[in-house]
Amino acid sequence: MSPTLATTPGPAATAAPVVHLAGVHKRFGALEVLRGIDLSVAAGTVTVVLGASGSGKSTLLRTINHLEKVDAGLVEVNGDLIGYRRAGRHLRELHEREVLRQRSRIGFVFQHFNLFPHLTVLENVVEAPVSAQRRRRTEVEVEARALLERVGLLDKADEYPRRLSGGQQQRVAIARALALRPSLVLFDEPTSALDPELVGEVLDVIRDLAAAGTTMVVVTHEIGFAREVADRVLFLHEGVVLEEGSPAEVFDHPRHDRTRAFLAKVL
């Protein structure tokens, strides 16, 4: 069943958002995981998404690059509908090849790294730009080495993932996402699978990206990190954005009891 086009974008703002979600709903069977999400992410900003387990955080992130199909509403990245085309009041899903082309412009860093175990570190970073974007391997390898240097792992270029620590693997995953030259990078709890002593090295890389003006949406429980780098914080509860604002507004002056209860457990 095709999703309904619940909302259309309003008049163009002075600077169009990189990400625009309007009226997004997503259900799994009888469970409605997202219930009318509206979201705009401006270029060069960091949006942090918080919430308890099961609140819809990861599902929200995965709708942005169509890893999860929406049931209603729309998702746009840089003004392009993601995963669908308009057909009157409905959306028709694009062919998989077209969806893959859209995904190739959006970086995604997963919780569990998802590196190819049979490829070296360098090959992991090179693979998507060559296969998905049809770029020349020689050109991509030069950029890949520069990215590995940026995340402090150029000396590991010829190693295989199994020989790296979890923190190193996640830094390779970040380099791999950046190799796509994305206008947007999505992070799905990038430190939750790491031992505590390895968390800092991954957060340092994300801090550097934020300082460089990379547009990011980050799902995380690292509150101190969120306070430091986020331009905007969203708190999801049972599939709705219950609270949003600057880090100071959400962390220091939450308006909702549920937000206060959540922060009391994680601060």
Side-chain angles (χ1 to χ4, degrees):
M1 181 177 173
S2 300
T4 56
L5 185 55
T7 310
T8 55
T14 51
V18 173
V19 180
H20 175 71
L21 275 66
V24 167
H25 289 254
K26 175 65 182 178
R27 84 169 48 244
F28 296 104
L31 179 64
E32 192 170 20
V33 179
L34 300 178
R35 299 188 291 140
I37 299 291
D38 297 320
L39 172 65
S40 289
V41 177
T45 64
V46 179
T47 298
V48 167
V49 183
L50 304 174
S53 182
S55 61
K57 307 183 302 297
S58 292
T59 301
L60 170 62
L61 210 63
R62 291 166 68 88
T63 63
I64 294 176
N65 73 343
H66 204 63
L67 285 173
E68 297 291 353
K69 304 173 185 180
V70 303
D71 295 315
L74 61 83
V75 178
E76 293 180 328
V77 175
N78 292 316
D80 294 329
L81 270 176
I82 298 299
Y84 299 95
R85 60 177 176 81
R86 287 181 175 84
R89 289 289 300 169
H90 294 272
L91 302 178
R92 302 301 181 196
E93 191 169 8
L94 298 175
H95 293 297
E96 182 64 17
R97 183 175 64 251
E98 297 170 290
V99 174
L100 290 174
R101 188 181 304 117
Q102 291 183 326
R103 282 193 195 130
S104 75
R105 299 192 292 268
I106 303 170
F108 201 117
V109 179
F110 296 88
Q111 179 177 345
H112 292 290
F113 325 137
N114 288 9
L115 299 178
F116 295 112
H118 62 290
L119 300 181
T120 66
V121 164
L122 182 64
E123 289 166 343
N124 264 281
V125 178
V126 166
E127 176 63 24
V130 171
S131 62
Q133 296 180 331
R134 306 298 182 189
R135 290 163 54 195
R136 293 177 56 186
R137 180 171 293 273
T138 53
E139 166 198 306
V140 174
E141 284 190 2
V142 171
E143 289 189 21
R145 290 184 184 278
L147 288 168
L148 288 172
E149 184 172 24
R150 184 176 180 181
V151 300
L153 290 173
L154 181 56
D155 61 327
K156 303 293 185 182
D158 297 322
E159 297 282 6
Y160 287 89
R162 67 180 180 274
R163 297 177 61 88
L164 304 182
S165 70
Q168 289 172 330
Q169 290 187 58
Q170 193 62 295
R171 284 189 279 153
V172 173
I174 293 172
R176 179 181 61 182
L178 295 176
L180 294 168
R181 299 175 177 173
S183 60
L184 168 70
V185 184
L186 309 173
F187 291 86
D188 190 5
E189 300 197 39
T191 61
S192 63
L194 302 178
D195 293 333
E197 66 269 20
L198 302 177
V199 169
E201 66 187 65
V202 173
L203 295 183
D204 284 344
V205 172
I206 302 175
R207 285 188 187 94
D208 289 344
L209 295 177
T214 306
T215 307
M216 295 184 281
V217 181
V218 185
V219 171
T220 185
H221 287 301
E222 299 289 339
I223 302 300
F225 166 78
R227 184 186 289 274
E228 178 186 350
V229 305
D231 296 288
R232 188 175 178 205
V233 176
L234 273 64
F235 177 67
L236 259 63
H237 178 61
E238 296 182 348
V240 300
V241 178
L242 191 64
E243 188 131 21
E244 62 180 296
S246 69
E249 288 170 335
V250 173
F251 295 139
D252 299 335
H253 306 287
R255 294 178 290 113
H256 294 274
D257 290 341
R258 185 65 191 87
T259 313
R260 286 190 284 272
F262 173 80
L263 293 174
K265 293 178 180 179
V266 298
L267 285 175

